[in-house]
Amino acid sequence: MSSKEEELDLSAPIPIFSFQKSQRKSSLLNCLIKIVVDHVSKLSSQHGHVIHLLRSLEYTSRFEYNDTVRNNCKIFVSLVQKLKVHFTVPNQQIMSHISLNLNPNQVVSVFINFHLLMIEVILYFKAGSIARVKGSIQNLQTELGFLITFLGDTAMHLQPTENIVTDIEAMVNEVGRFLYFFFFTIILLVITMKKGIGFEAVVNEVGSLLRNKYFDLIEDLKLQTTKEEKGNEKKGKKLVVTQKEITSIKALVQEVRSFLQPFFMVTESGELVLALSNLLTKFDLLKTKIKEHCIAVSKIPSDITPKTAVVSVFIVDSVLDDLMYTLNNNSDKIIGVEDQIVRLHKELMSLRCSVTDIAVQQEAEHEELMIQIGDIAYEVEYVINSFPHVWYLTLRLPQLVEKIHLLKMAIEETKNNIDAAGIQEVAKYPGEQVLSQFTKYPVFGNTIVGFEKVETKIVRQLVRGSDQLQIISIFGMPGIGKTTLANKLYNDPFVVDHFDKRSWGVVSQTYNKKKLLIEILCSTSHSKRDTLKNMEEESLTLKLYQSLKGLRYLIVIDDIWDINVWNDLERYFPKDGVGSRILFTTRNKEVGSKASPRSIINTLPLLSEAESWELLQQKVFKDENCPQELLDIGKQIAINCHGLPLAVVIIAAVLSNMEKKEHLWQKVERNLSSHLSDNENKFMQALELSYKHLPNHLKLCFLYFGTYEEDEEIPIQDLISLWVAEGFIKKEEQKCLEDVALKYLMELIDRSLIIVHERRSNGEVKSCKIHDLLREMCSRIGEKMNFLKLVNYNEDDPPMFFSQVLMHEQFHCTNINYGESRFHSLPFSLHVRSLVFDCGYLTERSTVITSSFKVLRAFHLCGISYDHHLIGIERLVHLRYLVISCKLPPMESFHKLEYLIVDTVNEIEIPEILLTMLSLRHMHFTGGAYFSASCRQQAIKDECFKMSYNLRSISVLRIFDETDEKILRCLHNLRRLKVKVGSSLNYSFDFLKQLESLKLHSIFGVSSSSLISLPLNLKQLTLVNLHVSPKQMETIGRLEYLEVLKLQHIAFEGEQWDTSEGEFPQLKFLKLNDVQLAEWNALGDNFPTLQRLVLQKCDNLKNGIPPSFCVILTLQMTEVDRCTKAVEVSAKQILEEQLDIGNEELKVIISGRKSERKEQEECESESEEKEESEEHEASESEEQEESKSEEKEESENEEFTD
């Protein structure tokens, strides 16, 4: 603990979580009791009586001495024998009733973690209270930490380990017995002595007890009354402790003493510190045996068998950073092994460089090498970041270097094989058995629901338009019905009559060129399949070209995944200018966009709720009607399919094969995910092809979606921050990691795997979703491949200590999401790198204690109160990402932290340490934050004081005066800033040269504060509750790169805004909300790139929107809400004139009164009627316009949302 950390006494109350208004208080003693309760309850469900007795002791500090002493003593006597077994490792007979799938290492690790949790709380006692034994207890904590690290180092257990684990178990049992007696001695003394006893007194009396003087203590004990008890006396309550009760206490003490004396091996002057010293001496003997074991293991040939089945090679980069950090900042922990760590870094760097050539290949043997590289990186990370003893590093580091050397040899051999065979132009996946897409037709049949308009549009694209060869793509997520729609189009009568020849070929994930040519030729020529099979590939290509030459043809290339396939085939299709078409179906948007500059991409949307229900009815009931009693549950099932036709069809097949009973359908609705994700389901296997086809660097990113809840909205910033923290992102020169991560996300969106849920004002993705079917697939694959685990603890679940806690040991890289939980401490996991802990259902008696996480990088703890106390969180020294909903803990140990989010309504004081942390890049405080007094004092004293150059964003920061502004001046690289300001200050932010986004909010209504100057690179600006002058608006208008401007509750000087020439050259989004503005005038060259205009509550704007907006051809949407009639009239006039000059993309939405909503519908109807009339005109120029319209519709499917 840091020197600044608040000291706590045994009897001092610390807050624990409570949903009740009158929040309850507890003591550190109660924390100890809670840890034991957790341990016992999770060990077995057969110890409810013991748990009840323990919980009855939680409030011993508030008893009245007459009845409660007697009751507590009885409880204590009952517990002494019953609880002893829970502090030591169970024998095999007990284990057989708990779990059948645990090895001895795991069992012992669980008990070490339990002991560490108790010690963690003990070390939080007031420093003066444990001065005699604190050093010894810390040493005990260190030794136990090493033991659990050793047991988690799986590479050390390549031979039978029964002997060494037995020795460790014996040591752990001794510690358990020590903590058992220590725990009960504290409780005994609290029961028998006055309220408010400190831990120092406990230590003294333990010594007395060990010297056989405890009877004298009891005889002489005078129970003193506290202020509370004196108050009770005034109320007439008599406090009496009878001689009989003291006799009972003596008997109890004698029983406890019979347990204590042989354990402590008391000498004439025996004390607690001596007992700890004897205990620590035994650890030295144990470590000698561990050394012998490690030496024996090191002589065994290295094992590089993969432990995980998915990995990103970029994780090596983050481990290299860890090694450098250890060398530069933890030199005191690696004395004597610095040279070995330098060599390890050099070898790992060499390994990282050597793998570049094969990283892009996805052959099965190459992927196995990638997994082995990732596993050795994880192993290095675990060994280095666990901070074991130096002697252990001396033994382990050479073995790690040897493993890396063997991997480098395997990589070189693979490179030689690649050079000899040549790199294939199109990556192939041997062993993938993919059914022909034609076999899927019976699944959907000829049922097309929801795609009627798209079908009509694509038919026009096929039979009309340019005579040049044109590529048309049907793009959408897996299971949305691309092949079904293509088949319908292929057999459309107009299409059949229009083309001289038609043919269909399936590419799928495995590109077999000869097979594809034969499929196409079977329809375009009169040759038989057997004849074609005997021809050479070159002859097939020539025959295909000749069979199509001079003819108008339609070729459907179904399920094409890679643009290289089309690059390989393109030259075999004649370009005779007769109106031929190539129709793609693809999950990858890039295939269509790169195939041709004139290609048309048709995006298939998800079905609406009504369309999903229509499809479900058709598949289940055919031509019959749905029974009335099944309507409601049937519609709910359809809704839960979230618009994916494949999900509807799969569930329809389930419902068709069961009785049409409401209770059975309700059961299906409750277990929808399990029906959709059936391992034997061939359609789920088809979905998995999308995952298998992903490049390696995207696989981990995609699987990460499996950690989110069904239908959860996922903020993009949080997601990519987690990816960066985990080490999934490649370092690229001149690019920040967040930008690269965003590129990865866009790749997943373009591959139809992720859905854009909401966009920012500038059009960038703000949040996304994943379809439940794909989310379930991610979760299942992730768990199968030892990558992630989702765990939900519910109040009604039976306690399963070992099975639930130790499941985390199976995963090298795990993200755990906790739902309902009644536990007071986090389940430990030595290899977890990311943990989401949802405490939304914690009971009022619960608290959270963190410990035993060796490599945790991301920790999200939500659902706890602001006053929640986190014991042990400062030991998570490898955190890169931290989200909490309580007050800020001591931050001195988080040297690697990059992202900090404090999600609470309370304002947070920003300590000086946060501003000097070199790794910290982003800070967000939901309830706001302010600079601490020490920061402000230093700013006053020093003209320039040291601050972090890496901090990129702060929100929401409260600025009081020029002193706060001075601190900001030292944060030179800020990119995003949200601030709340006072009411009478002028602010200048031009010193933040890198700032791109600024939100300035006056917290005292419309303020007289003003902006003097702004950063020239600003792209987004939001002003709230400010008074602006014409000069200030001109300053804003001259910002060359400004794309988004939001003015909310702004008072324009004179209630007039006149723009000057050339203002707002790059603005794309403009929002005016509740502004004091009566007249707005703009010139013709203002806002030349504006795409979206939003006016809300502009109820004083008399002259409406400036007429110059009629000629802004980039305008896509105008939204008017509760504004003056003049604004509404001008908006409709703009729509009319924009339509006249050819801007069919513009939408105008007028909302507010009922009459205005009717006018909105009329505006939209007029636009649609004009579009339909133009669609019926057949001309070559129309086809070009349709191409533009297609891009428009794609854009509208992902409209900007504010």
Side-chain angles (χ1 to χ4, degrees):
M1 293 183 294
S2 68
S3 59
K4 296 182 180 180
E5 188 174 335
E6 181 182 1
E7 294 183 343
L8 299 172
D9 198 356
L10 176 67
S11 60
I14 66 171
I16 63 171
F17 184 80
S18 174
F19 285 106
Q20 298 179 356
K21 293 182 180 179
S22 56
Q23 196 169 25
R24 304 181 72 168
K25 303 291 183 179
S26 183
S27 68
L28 286 171
L29 170 64
N30 290 348
C31 286
L32 281 174
I33 294 174
K34 290 175 189 297
I35 290 172
V36 178
V37 168
D38 275 352
H39 177 74
V40 175
S41 64
K42 290 180 286 189
L43 179 63
S44 174
S45 60
Q46 300 177 359
H47 302 294
H49 179 63
V50 174
I51 295 170
H52 175 74
L53 291 175
L54 277 170
R55 283 178 172 164
S56 66
L57 292 174
E58 287 188 31
Y59 304 102
T60 55
S61 60
R62 298 192 299 175
F63 57 73
E64 294 180 4
Y65 288 101
N66 46 9
D67 293 327
T68 310
V69 168
R70 184 184 303 108
N71 293 334
N72 285 338
C73 288
K74 290 179 180 178
I75 292 171
F76 190 82
V77 171
S78 300
L79 279 175
V80 167
Q81 289 287 1
K82 293 179 181 177
L83 199 60
K84 182 179 180 181
V85 67
H86 300 294
F87 278 71
T88 55
V89 180
N91 58 36
Q92 291 298 319
Q93 183 178 2
I94 296 175
M95 282 299 302
S96 64
H97 298 291
I98 298 174
S99 176
L100 301 176
N101 302 313
L102 293 176
N103 62 50
N105 303 13
Q106 293 173 319
V107 178
V108 176
S109 296
V110 169
F111 278 83
I112 295 176
N113 181 68
F114 166 51
H115 298 156
L116 285 172
L117 288 172
M118 294 190 66
I119 292 174
E120 197 73 63
V121 175
I122 292 170
L123 288 174
Y124 262 72
F125 293 162
K126 191 172 182 179
S129 299
I130 58 172
R132 297 186 190 182
V133 293
K134 183 173 182 179
S136 297
I137 293 177
Q138 288 176 329
N139 290 337
L140 180 61
Q141 183 185 45
T142 299
E143 298 298 349
L144 288 174
F146 168 69
L147 289 186
I148 202 170
T149 296
F150 173 72
L151 291 171
D153 191 356
T154 55
M156 284 289 91
H157 308 295
L158 301 177
Q159 62 181 10
T161 59
E162 288 78 2
N163 291 337
I164 189 65
V165 173
T166 299
D167 292 334
I168 294 174
E169 179 181 327
M171 187 73 252
V172 170
N173 285 341
E174 291 218 34
V175 174
R177 286 191 290 271
F178 167 80
L179 290 175
Y180 164 71
F181 293 119
F182 192 79
F183 171 69
F184 274 121
T185 302
I186 293 174
I187 292 179
L188 176 63
L189 291 169
V190 171
I191 289 174
T192 57
M193 297 182 72
K194 71 173 183 178
K195 180 181 178 182
I197 184 173
F199 190 77
E200 185 175 3
V202 172
V203 175
N204 291 335
E205 296 309 329
V206 167
S208 299
L209 174 63
L210 296 176
R211 290 191 295 270
N212 297 317
K213 295 180 179 179
Y214 194 78
F215 291 118
D216 297 335
L217 171 70
I218 296 298
E219 292 285 1
D220 297 337
L221 183 64
K222 295 180 180 179
L223 298 178
Q224 302 176 27
T225 58
T226 64
K227 292 181 181 179
E228 177 184 345
E229 291 152 4
K230 291 176 180 177
N232 289 333
E233 287 177 345
K234 292 179 181 179
K235 296 177 184 178
K237 294 183 179 180
K238 188 176 182 180
L239 302 175
V240 178
V241 180
T242 64
Q243 183 63 39
K244 183 178 180 181
E245 288 170 337
I246 290 187
T247 303
S248 299
I249 294 174
K250 287 183 181 180
L252 173 62
V253 170
Q254 186 175 10
E255 186 173 359
V256 174
R257 176 182 169 282
S258 66
F259 292 119
L260 285 169
Q261 181 142 357
F263 175 74
F264 281 100
M265 298 181 297
V266 181
T267 62
E268 185 175 344
S269 59
E271 293 182 358
L272 185 62
V273 65
L274 179 61
L276 279 167
S277 177
N278 291 334
L279 200 59
L280 291 170
T281 300
K282 296 183 179 180
F283 271 99
D284 293 332
L285 299 175
L286 177 61
K287 284 186 288 187
T288 300
K289 295 181 180 179
I290 293 176
K291 287 180 185 178
E292 295 172 354
H293 171 79
C294 293
I295 293 171
V297 170
S298 66
K299 296 178 181 179
I300 301 175
S302 294
D303 179 14
I304 56 173
T305 302
K307 302 175 185 64
T308 60
V310 59
V311 77
S312 170
V313 70
F314 307 137
I315 289 173
V316 178
D317 296 331
S318 66
V319 176
L320 286 168
D321 291 341
D322 282 344
L323 287 171
M324 286 305 301
Y325 183 88
T326 300
L327 287 168
N328 295 330
N329 299 281
N330 291 321
S331 56
D332 58 320
K333 298 179 180 179
I334 57 171
I335 296 174
V337 293
E338 298 95 329
D339 292 342
Q340 291 188 57
I341 293 179
V342 169
R343 184 186 175 193
L344 178 62
H345 182 276
K346 181 179 179 181
E347 291 293 330
L348 195 59
M349 177 69 79
S350 175
L351 177 67
R352 175 67 178 89
C353 295
S354 66
V355 77
T356 304
D357 294 337
I358 66 169
V360 296
Q361 298 294 306
Q362 297 198 131
E363 302 288 349
E365 61 269 24
H366 300 169
E367 291 191 20
E368 184 176 334
L369 273 178
M370 295 299 101
I371 292 170
Q372 291 175 353
I373 292 167
D375 280 330
I376 189 64
Y378 284 137
E379 189 174 337
V380 171
E381 177 186 54
Y382 180 80
V383 171
I384 295 296
N385 289 348
S386 296
F387 300 128
H389 296 302
V390 170
W391 64 262
Y392 190 72
L393 287 175
T394 304
L395 296 172
R396 285 292 279 121
L397 294 178
Q399 188 183 33
L400 293 171
V401 170
E402 180 188 355
K403 286 187 175 184
I404 293 173
H405 180 67
L406 291 175
L407 265 177
K408 287 167 62 178
M409 292 175 58
I411 290 170
E412 288 302 317
E413 182 179 351
T414 301
K415 282 184 180 180
N416 294 334
N417 294 337
I418 292 175
D419 293 338
I423 299 177
Q424 297 295 318
E425 184 176 5
V426 180
K428 298 183 180 181
Y429 298 78
E432 285 293 341
Q433 300 297 323
V434 184
L435 296 175
S436 170
Q437 295 285 359
F438 278 103
T439 62
K440 297 197 292 185
Y441 294 156
V443 177
F444 294 95
N446 293 320
T447 304
I448 296 290
V449 174
F451 298 150
E452 292 82 0
K453 290 184 178 180
V454 179
E455 180 184 357
T456 301
K457 182 172 64 175
I458 299 178
V459 168
R460 291 199 307 270
Q461 294 168 359
L462 292 172
V463 302
R464 300 178 186 176
S466 173
D467 285 336
Q468 300 302 314
L469 176 64
Q470 195 161 32
I471 297 173
I472 300 168
S473 296
I474 301 175
F475 160 72
M477 67 184 297
I480 204 168
K482 300 181 295 294
T483 301
T484 304
L485 178 58
N487 184 49
K488 188 86 178 293
L489 294 166
Y490 185 79
N491 293 299
D492 184 277
F494 290 104
V495 174
V496 173
D497 291 341
H498 183 72
F499 292 100
D500 301 320
K501 286 193 175 182
R502 296 174 303 122
S503 188
W504 185 296
V506 179
V507 178
S508 198
Q509 201 174 18
T510 304
Y511 172 45
N512 186 319
K513 184 175 181 179
K514 183 174 182 178
K515 181 181 178 182
L516 180 61
L517 292 171
I518 292 173
E519 283 186 18
I520 296 174
L521 279 167
C522 284
S523 299
T524 60
S525 70
H526 299 290
S527 302
K528 294 183 179 180
R529 184 178 294 271
D530 291 340
T531 303
L532 295 173
K533 285 182 179 180
N534 294 324
M535 295 175 62
E536 296 294 328
E537 191 175 283
E538 184 177 348
S539 300
L540 290 173
T541 58
L542 179 61
K543 188 174 183 64
L544 175 61
Y545 186 87
Q546 291 174 343
S547 68
L548 298 176
K549 184 64 177 172
L551 299 176
R552 181 189 295 152
Y553 57 83
L554 168 64
I555 306 296
V556 177
I557 301 181
D558 187 26
D559 201 23
I560 178 171
W561 294 69
D562 196 324
I563 187 59
N564 289 325
V565 173
W566 174 244
N567 294 338
D568 186 40
L569 295 173
E570 183 179 7
R571 61 184 179 272
Y572 309 133
F573 296 99
K575 301 176 181 178
D576 295 325
V578 292
S580 296
R581 298 287 186 265
I582 305 291
L583 181 63
F584 289 166
T585 69
T586 182
R587 307 181 187 191
N588 191 348
K589 189 176 183 180
E590 181 186 69
V591 174
S593 61
K594 288 188 175 181
S596 168
R598 300 181 63 253
S599 62
I600 301 174
I601 300 175
N602 297 278
T603 303
L604 293 190
L606 293 169
L607 300 179
S608 66
E609 293 179 1
E611 290 166 345
S612 297
W613 172 231
E614 180 184 349
L615 178 60
L616 186 69
Q617 285 188 97
Q618 291 183 18
K619 303 304 294 184
V620 175
F621 299 105
K622 311 302 181 190
D623 298 327
E624 300 177 4
N625 293 325
C626 174
Q628 186 66 34
E629 65 272 15
L630 296 179
L631 277 176
D632 290 340
I633 186 61
K635 289 179 179 179
Q636 188 58 51
I637 291 173
I639 290 172
N640 291 348
C641 291
H642 299 290
L644 187 65
L646 177 61
V648 176
V649 170
I650 293 173
I651 291 301
V654 173
L655 297 176
S656 297
N657 291 314
M658 65 170 51
E659 290 185 76
K660 305 298 188 290
K661 302 290 186 181
E662 184 179 9
H663 72 279
L664 295 177
W665 281 37
Q666 289 173 342
K667 185 176 180 180
V668 170
E669 192 269 335
R670 288 193 299 268
N671 301 281
L672 200 64
S673 296
S674 62
H675 289 289
L676 292 176
S677 60
D678 181 3
N679 283 324
E680 302 302 321
N681 195 310
K682 62 181 179 180
F683 308 117
M684 282 302 296
Q685 295 174 12
L687 290 182
E688 289 183 15
L689 291 180
S690 289
Y691 166 76
K692 293 176 181 177
H693 193 265
L694 286 174
N696 283 326
H697 71 276
L698 291 182
K699 286 185 175 178
L700 283 180
C701 296
F702 179 57
L703 289 183
Y704 215 87
F705 284 92
T707 65
Y708 290 94
E709 296 295 328
E710 291 185 2
D711 203 34
E712 182 176 354
E713 180 182 348
I714 304 168
I716 294 306
Q717 191 58 52
D718 292 349
L719 177 68
I720 63 177
S721 298
L722 283 165
W723 287 352
V724 172
E726 285 271 23
F728 297 163
I729 308 302
K730 180 182 180 181
K731 293 182 178 179
E732 296 185 11
E733 293 185 8
Q734 307 300 321
K735 287 187 178 181
C736 69
L737 290 172
E738 288 85 357
D739 289 343
V740 180
L742 184 59
K743 183 178 72 173
Y744 289 6
L745 176 67
M746 297 311 298
E747 287 186 56
L748 293 173
I749 291 172
D750 287 344
R751 289 172 179 269
S752 309
L753 294 172
I754 304 302
I755 304 167
V756 174
H757 178 71
E758 185 179 0
R759 290 186 178 271
R760 299 185 186 277
S761 302
N762 61 357
E764 294 178 354
V765 180
K766 182 177 182 180
S767 63
C768 64
K769 283 187 175 183
I770 183 172
H771 192 278
D772 287 350
L773 202 59
L774 292 174
R775 189 207 67 86
E776 186 69 24
M777 182 187 75
C778 288
S779 180
R780 182 165 48 82
I781 293 176
E783 184 170 345
K784 179 181 178 182
M785 295 185 171
N786 292 337
F787 172 68
L788 64 87
K789 181 67 181 180
L790 267 175
V791 180
N792 286 299
Y793 289 125
N794 296 301
E795 200 65 33
D796 297 329
D797 287 345
M800 295 178 291
F801 178 68
F802 289 104
S803 60
Q804 289 192 335
V805 172
L806 284 174
M807 66 173 61
H808 316 319
E809 282 292 290
Q810 303 169 11
F811 302 94
H812 261 251
C813 181
T814 309
N815 188 301
I816 309 170
N817 188 354
Y818 285 87
E820 301 177 6
S821 174
R822 60 187 171 201
F823 304 133
H824 314 300
S825 58
L826 295 182
F828 82 101
S829 185
L830 302 175
H831 299 283
V832 159
R833 305 172 91 242
S834 179
L835 173 64
V836 177
F837 195 98
D838 183 0
C839 302
Y841 296 91
L842 273 179
T843 65
E844 62 180 8
R845 299 166 66 88
S846 300
T847 189
V848 176
I849 300 174
T850 54
S851 183
S852 299
F853 292 92
K854 300 299 182 180
V855 293
L856 193 66
R857 286 170 160 255
F859 184 35
H860 187 136
L861 179 63
C862 56
I864 58 176
S865 69
Y866 174 75
D867 291 326
H868 200 89
H869 197 84
L870 302 177
I871 297 179
I873 192 171
E874 70 277 1
R875 302 194 186 281
L876 304 180
V877 296
H878 303 298
L879 282 182
R880 270 76 166 176
Y881 176 93
L882 175 62
V883 180
I884 54 176
S885 57
C886 61
K887 61 185 176 182
L888 205 62
M891 301 299 293
E892 285 78 6
S893 61
F894 300 121
H895 301 293
K896 300 179 182 179
L897 193 66
E898 299 173 3
Y899 305 91
L900 173 64
I901 300 174
V902 183
D903 187 11
T904 174
V905 297
N906 300 77
E907 276 197 330
I908 301 294
E909 181 183 76
I910 300 177
E912 186 178 333
I913 184 67
L914 285 185
L915 301 178
T916 60
M917 292 169 64
L918 296 179
S919 297
L920 190 61
R921 296 205 299 255
H922 303 278
M923 293 192 297
H924 175 69
F925 305 93
T926 305
Y930 55 92
F931 293 126
S932 67
S934 62
C935 290
R936 291 170 54 82
Q937 289 172 3
Q938 189 173 353
I940 294 172
K941 292 179 182 178
D942 302 334
E943 284 297 324
C944 185
F945 52 98
K946 185 178 179 182
M947 291 285 177
S948 171
Y949 282 86
N950 292 320
L951 200 59
R952 294 293 190 268
S953 68
I954 304 178
S955 62
V956 178
L957 178 65
R958 187 170 178 180
I959 297 180
F960 292 95
D961 50 32
E962 290 83 356
T963 303
D964 293 328
E965 185 177 313
K966 185 178 179 181
I967 298 174
L968 271 180
R969 286 180 178 273
C970 299
L971 302 173
H972 306 286
N973 289 323
L974 277 181
R975 303 290 178 88
R976 301 178 66 88
L977 177 64
K978 293 182 181 181
V979 294
K980 293 182 178 180
V981 299
S983 58
S984 59
L985 294 174
N986 296 329
Y987 294 95
S988 173
F989 294 93
D990 59 340
F991 52 83
L992 297 173
K993 306 295 184 183
Q994 305 299 320
L995 197 67
E996 297 179 354
S997 177
L998 172 65
K999 182 175 182 179
L1000 186 62
H1001 185 173
S1002 173
I1003 56 179
F1004 299 113
V1006 176
S1007 169
S1008 59
S1009 301
S1010 61
L1011 283 168
I1012 298 175
S1013 58
L1014 291 167
L1016 297 179
N1017 291 321
L1018 207 60
K1019 293 182 179 180
Q1020 300 181 47
L1021 176 63
T1022 301
L1023 302 179
V1024 184
N1025 285 348
L1026 291 176
H1027 179 276
V1028 293
S1029 66
K1031 185 176 181 180
Q1032 291 164 354
M1033 287 307 302
E1034 184 178 354
T1035 299
I1036 296 172
R1038 295 296 178 188
L1039 293 173
E1040 184 178 354
Y1041 304 106
L1042 189 65
E1043 297 179 352
V1044 176
L1045 176 62
K1046 301 178 184 179
L1047 304 177
Q1048 302 177 30
H1049 313 297
I1050 297 297
F1052 286 84
E1053 186 175 301
E1055 295 194 2
Q1056 184 169 338
W1057 180 18
D1058 298 321
T1059 58
S1060 302
E1061 184 178 354
E1063 288 186 7
F1064 303 102
Q1066 297 296 327
L1067 197 69
K1068 294 180 173 61
F1069 179 92
L1070 174 61
K1071 179 179 181 179
L1072 305 179
N1073 179 13
D1074 194 18
V1075 295
Q1076 296 178 25
L1077 179 64
E1079 185 176 346
W1080 180 17
N1081 301 305
L1083 301 178
D1085 65 345
N1086 299 146
F1087 311 104
T1089 61
L1090 191 68
Q1091 297 176 2
R1092 184 177 173 194
L1093 174 65
V1094 179
L1095 303 178
Q1096 296 174 341
K1097 297 177 67 176
C1098 296
D1099 48 15
N1100 196 35
L1101 187 54
K1102 298 176 181 178
N1103 68 334
I1105 304 170
S1108 59
F1109 280 71
C1110 294
V1111 294
I1112 302 176
L1113 293 178
T1114 57
L1115 197 59
Q1116 297 175 0
M1117 180 174 290
T1118 299
E1119 300 176 41
V1120 176
D1121 179 23
R1122 291 165 292 172
C1123 295
T1124 62
K1125 191 68 176 179
V1127 173
E1128 298 171 4
V1129 171
S1130 60
K1132 288 184 279 188
Q1133 183 179 353
I1134 290 171
L1135 174 64
E1136 293 174 0
E1137 296 195 23
Q1138 289 271 1
L1139 289 173
D1140 290 339
I1141 61 177
N1143 183 10
E1144 299 175 2
E1145 296 185 3
L1146 178 61
K1147 281 188 175 182
V1148 173
I1149 299 176
I1150 299 176
S1151 58
R1153 298 184 302 273
K1154 188 176 296 183
S1155 60
E1156 294 170 341
R1157 289 197 295 271
K1158 182 177 180 182
E1159 290 170 353
Q1160 170 198 345
E1161 296 172 0
E1162 292 173 352
C1163 290
E1164 293 179 343
S1165 176
E1166 178 183 348
S1167 175
E1168 291 175 0
E1169 287 174 4
K1170 184 170 182 178
E1171 184 178 348
E1172 288 180 6
S1173 66
E1174 292 179 354
E1175 286 176 349
H1176 285 85
E1177 298 177 5
S1179 66
E1180 295 181 8
S1181 61
E1182 179 198 7
E1183 181 61 27
Q1184 296 173 358
E1185 290 297 320
E1186 284 181 356
S1187 178
K1188 295 179 181 178
S1189 176
E1190 171 54 31
E1191 296 174 0
K1192 172 205 72 176
E1193 288 192 24
E1194 183 182 343
S1195 174
E1196 290 176 357
N1197 284 336
E1198 300 173 336
E1199 285 177 3
F1200 294 156
T1201 55
D1202 182 24

